[in-house]
């Protein structure tokens, strides 16, 4: 093995090129057992990010181009496909939001009418019927109507929308349709709540026409002096229901700390009526998370009565719960992040997730044999030392401890001169309820293999540490998050791990907002990268979609009573504070953060004479999906940081700065 070259940080040669980045991180959207086959949905960057349905039994997609399975319910979608009891698949067509039925060897046929008002998501096949959440749009800037519906699979509703049976309505938002034995359970919430703030588990009987009657609240919502967010109802018998919720701790469980999403069970009797929820597994960890994407699952009952659950406290782990005996067994796997349970077949379980030493993928777990094998992804490539392994770190901050993961520079072929400190890129996740877990990541390795450290921060408001940690951001968005990322960056400098004059910050969406506020309000960062970031809260409030239309009540304050707070917090309201070089990346079709925000930001930087670049990607939405866009973004980001922080990265042309 040849000795490592001694080269300045940021200039190390790396085999991970910008054109490798589109395929570097899988974008999976559900998986199902189909007899001996395994089906899953995956974004295909080389095909403009379309979501294909693939099979372990074939090299050819089950859902071929140009079809794409993606829902727009709540804008973020989720549950865009499901497997029927046979080999057929029902899916939501991205282009027109119609539900279609796909049988092997046939073209998809429509099940819902051609009507631009309708979107469908959270598809579920249960009780020999197809269930979904339907969103019906009216005039612009009005709240869409939402209901849980039953869609006939004979195609009769394709021409007659009245054939779609409305089962449950009456709430602003609905999720997790869960029918069984003449009843249905679901999750509901209303403006101004977000589903992680307060959401109800409800149960109703189904009448002879299959419509809900006599609905009751089982758990969650507002009451008893605390807000509770219920999640993911799962029937384990005709009259027994599991769910996740985060009520205040009882006196007996107070030693476990503040409220977390734990598992409960209740019995449902005629009426319907529900027994008092029983805490199934008290633990200082979350079995649950923010419901941005419909259909997300954090636990699953097995056929023999046991329950497999994800428990997250910073990083994640798997546990097996025996409700009959109360026994809890931890299942050791390398998966510690972004861990979800996709499907169960006997003792076999499909998991999606990643770990500190394995990249993200789809995995097959045999819970009795304790064997785990990758179905898609999950394999480490490249020479040893090419991918940096994250170190969990905790820093003191004005709001309390700040959790983060640091990826130090790492290369098998290069090392820095003695005494040089590395430039560091601070990453700010979106949400702002997102959560990072220090997974083995090509996104991080792109930077660390070039001699640029990466600090991934779980700032106040992040999930994965309980409600109290999330609530630290309440009415403090643009303040507490900024204080936390600045404290983490300073802590890294104090630890001797970063060059204080070469710290940059990057984030997208809500993370982009934190980037802009941090550049405006601190002197910690020398450069910033904003992907579709929020720059003006009033503009966002006027233009954003219904799901997040009242989110800012809790993040900032009630509107319009706190209008002055919205003005004072927004970087565009004080353009004189924008003096740090900035790269702005924006999709032309973004309904969440429209291009008008980025355009106004670029104009302000130009007036201030600040070096910047604004790149607009035609056809892209909120979150970039096409291979060309992803490649151009990483190349531009690397060139930008090299120009601003003073190093010459190999393999990318300079980026013109205005």
């Amino acid at each position: 093995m040849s000795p490592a070259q001694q080269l300045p940080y940021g200039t190390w040669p790396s085999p991970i090129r910008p054109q490798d980045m589109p395929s570097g991180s899988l974008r999976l959207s559900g998986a199902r057992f189909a007899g001996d086959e395994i089906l899953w949905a995956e974004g295909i960057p080389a095909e403009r990010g379309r979501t294909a349905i693939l099979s372990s039994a074939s090299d050819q997609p089950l859902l071929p181009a140009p079809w794409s399975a993606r829902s727009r319910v709540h804008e973020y979608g989720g549950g865009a496909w499901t497997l029927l009891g046979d080999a057929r698949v029902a899916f939501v067509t991205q282009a027109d939001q119609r539900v279609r039925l796909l049988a092997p060897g046939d073209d998809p046929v429509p099940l819902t009418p051609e009507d631009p008002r309708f979107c469908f998501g959270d598809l579920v096949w249960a009780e020999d019927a197809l269930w979904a959440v339907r969103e019906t749009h009216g005039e612009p800037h009005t709240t869409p109507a939402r209901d849980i519906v039953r869609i006939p699979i004979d195609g009769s509703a394709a021409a007659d929308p009245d054939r779609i049976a409305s089962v449950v309505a009456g709430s602003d938002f609905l999720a997790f349709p869960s029918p069984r034995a003449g009843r249905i359970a679901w999750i509901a919430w209303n403006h101004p709540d977000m589903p992680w703030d307060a959401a109800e588990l409800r149960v109703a009987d189904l009448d002879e026409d299959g419509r809900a009657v006599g609905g009751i609240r089982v758990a969650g919502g507002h009451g008893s002096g605390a807000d509770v967010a219920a999640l993911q109802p799962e029937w384990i018998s005709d009259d027994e229901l599991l769910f996740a919720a985060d009520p205040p701790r009882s006196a007996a469980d107070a030693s476990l700390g503040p409220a977390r999403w734990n598992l409960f069970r209740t019995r449902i009797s005629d009426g319907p009526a529900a027994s008092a929820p029983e805490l199934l597994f008290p633990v200082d960890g979350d079995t649950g998370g923010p419901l941005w994407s419909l259909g997300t699952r954090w636990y699953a009952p097995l056929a023999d009565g046991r329950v497999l659950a994800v428990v997250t406290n910073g990083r994640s782990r798997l546990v097996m719960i025996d409700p009959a005996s109360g026994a809890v067994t931890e299942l050791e796997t390398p998966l510690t992040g972004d861990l979800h349970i996709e499907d169960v077949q006997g003792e076999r379980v499909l998991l999606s997730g990643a770990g500190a030493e394995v990249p993200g993928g789809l995995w097959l777990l045999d819970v009795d044999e304790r064997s785990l094998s990758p179905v898609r992804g999950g394999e480490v490539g490249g020479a040893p030392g090419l991918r940096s392994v994250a170190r969990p770190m905790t820093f003191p901050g004005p709001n309390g401890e700040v959790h983060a993961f640091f990826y130090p520079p790492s290369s098998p072929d290069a090392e820095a001169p003695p005494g040089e400190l590395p430039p560091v890129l601070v990453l700010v996740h979106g949400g702002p309820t997102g959560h990072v877990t220090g997974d083995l990541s090509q996104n991080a390795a792109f930077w660390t293999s070039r001699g640029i450290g990466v600090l991934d921060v779980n700032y106040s408001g992040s999930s994965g540490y309980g409600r109290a940690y999330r609530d630290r951001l309440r009415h403090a968005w643009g303040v507490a998050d900024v204080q936390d990322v600045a404290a983490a960056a300073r802590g890294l400098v104090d630890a001797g791990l970063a060059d204080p004059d070469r710290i940059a910050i990057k984030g997208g969406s809500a993370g982009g907002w934190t980037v802009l506020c941090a550049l405006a309000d601190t002197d910690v960062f020398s450069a910033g990268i904003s992907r579709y970031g929020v720059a003006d809260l009033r503009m966002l409030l006027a233009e954003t979609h219904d799901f997040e239309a009242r989110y800012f009540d809790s993040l900032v304050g009630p509107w319009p009573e706190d209008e002055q707070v919205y003005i004072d917090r927004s970087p565009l309201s004080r353009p004189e504070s924008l003096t740090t070089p900035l790269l702005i990346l924006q999709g032309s079709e973004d309904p969440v953060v429209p291009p008008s925000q980025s355009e106004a930001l670029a104009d302000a930087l130009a007036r201030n004479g600040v070096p910047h670049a604004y790149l607009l990607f035609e056809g892209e939405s909120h979150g970039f999906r096409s291979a060309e866009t992803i490649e151009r973004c990483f190349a531009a980001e690397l060139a930008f940081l090299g120009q601003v922080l003073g190093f010459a990265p190999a393999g990318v042309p300079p980026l013109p700065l205005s």
Side-chain angles (χ1 to χ4, degrees):
M1 183 175 180
S2 59
Q5 297 176 271
Q6 194 171 93
L7 295 169
Y9 284 120
T11 68
W12 297 355
S14 172
I16 305 175
R17 306 164 301 170
Q19 55 264 45
D20 298 322
M21 298 308 292
S23 60
S25 300
L26 289 176
R27 184 172 56 82
L28 301 174
S29 304
R32 297 287 185 274
F33 288 107
D36 294 332
E37 295 180 47
I38 294 172
L39 308 182
W40 69 92
E42 180 180 334
I44 311 295
E47 299 177 19
R48 298 195 61 79
R50 82 173 184 97
T51 301
I53 300 174
L54 307 174
S55 169
S56 61
S58 174
D59 293 333
Q60 300 300 313
L62 181 66
L63 183 65
W67 298 101
S68 180
R70 189 178 176 199
S71 166
R72 289 202 301 267
V73 173
H74 302 171
E75 289 299 338
Y76 297 99
W81 68 283
T82 193
L83 180 70
L84 275 59
D86 47 27
R88 295 176 296 172
V89 169
F91 71 97
V92 179
T93 311
Q94 179 176 346
D96 59 12
Q97 293 297 287
R98 299 177 77 181
V99 179
R100 287 179 165 85
L101 187 65
L102 175 66
D106 293 339
D107 291 332
V109 296
L111 299 181
T112 58
E114 186 177 6
D115 189 328
R117 297 176 304 159
F118 294 150
C119 298
F120 297 87
D122 218 352
L123 270 57
V124 173
W125 177 256
E127 304 291 277
D128 293 323
L130 180 61
W131 312 73
V133 172
R134 175 175 63 180
E135 195 171 79
T136 305
H137 290 260
E139 295 298 318
H141 305 295
T142 61
T143 299
R146 297 180 178 90
D147 56 351
I148 292 172
V149 298
R150 194 173 57 255
I151 302 170
I153 62 170
D154 61 4
S156 58
D160 182 4
D162 291 338
R163 294 282 297 166
I164 299 174
S166 179
V167 179
V168 172
S171 301
D172 290 340
F173 302 97
L174 300 155
F176 291 111
S178 305
R180 179 156 172 170
R183 297 190 179 106
I184 185 168
W186 71 97
I187 299 295
W189 68 98
N190 293 301
H191 284 309
D193 296 321
M194 299 302 286
W196 48 87
D197 294 328
E200 295 183 353
L201 166 62
R202 303 188 66 83
V203 174
D205 290 331
L206 296 173
D207 65 17
E208 59 185 18
D209 295 322
R211 290 175 168 81
V213 292
I216 61 168
R217 182 183 70 86
V218 175
H222 302 284
S224 303
D227 295 341
V228 177
L231 270 176
Q232 193 190 335
E234 298 277 357
W235 295 97
I236 54 175
S237 69
D238 289 351
D239 61 358
E240 193 169 10
L241 189 65
L242 296 182
F243 62 95
D246 62 345
R249 297 289 190 189
S250 67
D253 298 318
S255 62
L256 294 173
R260 308 293 293 257
W261 275 299
N262 283 186
L263 286 181
F264 292 78
R265 62 180 168 186
T266 182
R267 291 195 176 275
I268 306 299
S269 54
D270 292 340
S275 66
E278 173 193 355
L279 181 58
L280 186 64
F281 176 42
V283 62
D284 186 20
D286 288 311
T287 298
L291 189 64
W292 288 100
S293 180
L294 293 170
T296 306
R297 282 175 159 75
W298 294 269
Y299 74 94
L302 306 187
D304 62 8
R306 293 177 296 170
V307 178
L308 182 67
V310 177
V311 177
T312 302
N313 189 20
R315 281 176 161 159
S316 298
R317 57 193 174 98
L318 282 171
V319 298
M320 184 68 75
I321 306 165
D322 186 341
S325 67
V328 177
T329 305
E330 184 162 348
L331 278 65
E332 294 186 7
T333 78
L335 306 179
T336 56
D338 200 21
L339 185 54
H340 297 102
I341 298 174
E342 303 291 350
D343 198 14
V344 173
Q345 185 187 68
E347 289 74 41
R348 302 197 310 160
V349 180
L350 287 174
L351 305 170
S352 58
E357 298 185 1
V358 292
L362 177 65
W363 308 81
L364 177 61
L365 170 70
D366 188 303
V367 297
D368 289 336
E369 294 185 1
R370 299 292 198 269
S371 62
L372 183 74
S373 56
V375 175
R376 177 75 174 97
E379 296 177 346
V380 181
L386 179 63
R387 286 171 168 77
S388 180
V389 176
R391 308 174 186 172
M393 301 188 76
T394 302
F395 304 99
N399 307 296
E401 290 186 336
V402 182
H403 300 287
F405 293 90
F406 178 54
Y407 297 84
S410 179
S411 171
D413 302 315
E415 61 184 15
E420 183 182 357
L421 290 172
V424 168
L425 180 61
V426 175
L427 298 183
V428 188
H429 62 65
T433 59
H435 174 226
V436 295
T437 52
D439 304 332
L440 194 70
S441 161
Q442 180 148 305
N443 285 344
F446 178 82
W447 304 103
T448 58
S449 63
R450 290 175 164 81
I452 303 166
V454 171
L455 182 64
D456 220 350
V457 183
N458 282 318
Y459 52 88
S460 293
S462 302
S463 56
Y465 300 94
R467 181 181 281 264
Y469 199 83
R470 295 199 312 276
D471 283 350
R472 285 180 10 183
L473 198 63
R474 192 168 186 83
H475 295 168
W477 194 36
V479 179
D481 49 333
V482 171
Q483 293 170 337
D484 286 358
V485 295
R490 291 190 187 103
L492 202 66
V493 170
D494 292 342
L497 298 172
D499 182 341
D501 296 323
R502 295 194 294 171
I503 300 179
I505 185 169
K506 169 185 169 180
S509 189
W513 158 263
T514 303
V515 166
L516 299 176
C517 291
L519 297 181
D521 296 334
T522 79
D523 59 1
V524 175
F525 305 100
S526 299
I529 300 170
S530 170
R531 290 191 178 195
Y532 36 86
V534 178
D536 187 300
L537 290 175
R538 290 180 301 167
M539 290 173 63
L540 180 65
L541 196 65
E543 297 177 316
T544 197
H545 57 103
D546 182 61
F547 179 66
E548 295 181 86
R550 299 292 303 277
Y551 191 11
F552 313 105
D553 286 27
S554 61
L555 288 176
V556 182
W559 177 270
E561 295 88 336
D562 284 348
E563 181 177 7
Q564 191 59 47
V565 179
Y566 285 70
I567 295 171
D568 293 342
R569 296 258 182 96
S570 298
L572 277 179
S573 299
R574 41 203 169 91
E576 70 283 353
S577 65
L578 298 172
T579 60
T580 304
L582 183 67
L583 173 61
I584 308 165
L585 306 168
Q586 175 70 46
S588 67
E589 305 300 322
D590 192 333
V592 181
V593 180
S596 57
Q597 295 234 5
S598 291
E599 292 161 4
L601 183 62
D603 290 343
L605 291 165
R607 289 193 299 270
N608 290 349
V610 178
H612 69 282
Y614 172 44
L615 303 183
L616 181 69
F617 299 100
E618 290 296 331
E620 289 285 5
S621 184
H622 196 70
F624 300 147
R625 293 174 179 267
S626 81
E628 180 185 1
T629 299
I630 296 169
E631 177 184 340
R632 287 181 60 197
C633 283
F634 276 95
E637 290 168 355
L638 179 58
F640 171 75
L641 292 186
Q643 289 170 250
V644 174
L645 300 184
F647 57 85
V652 295
L655 178 71
L657 299 182
S658 301

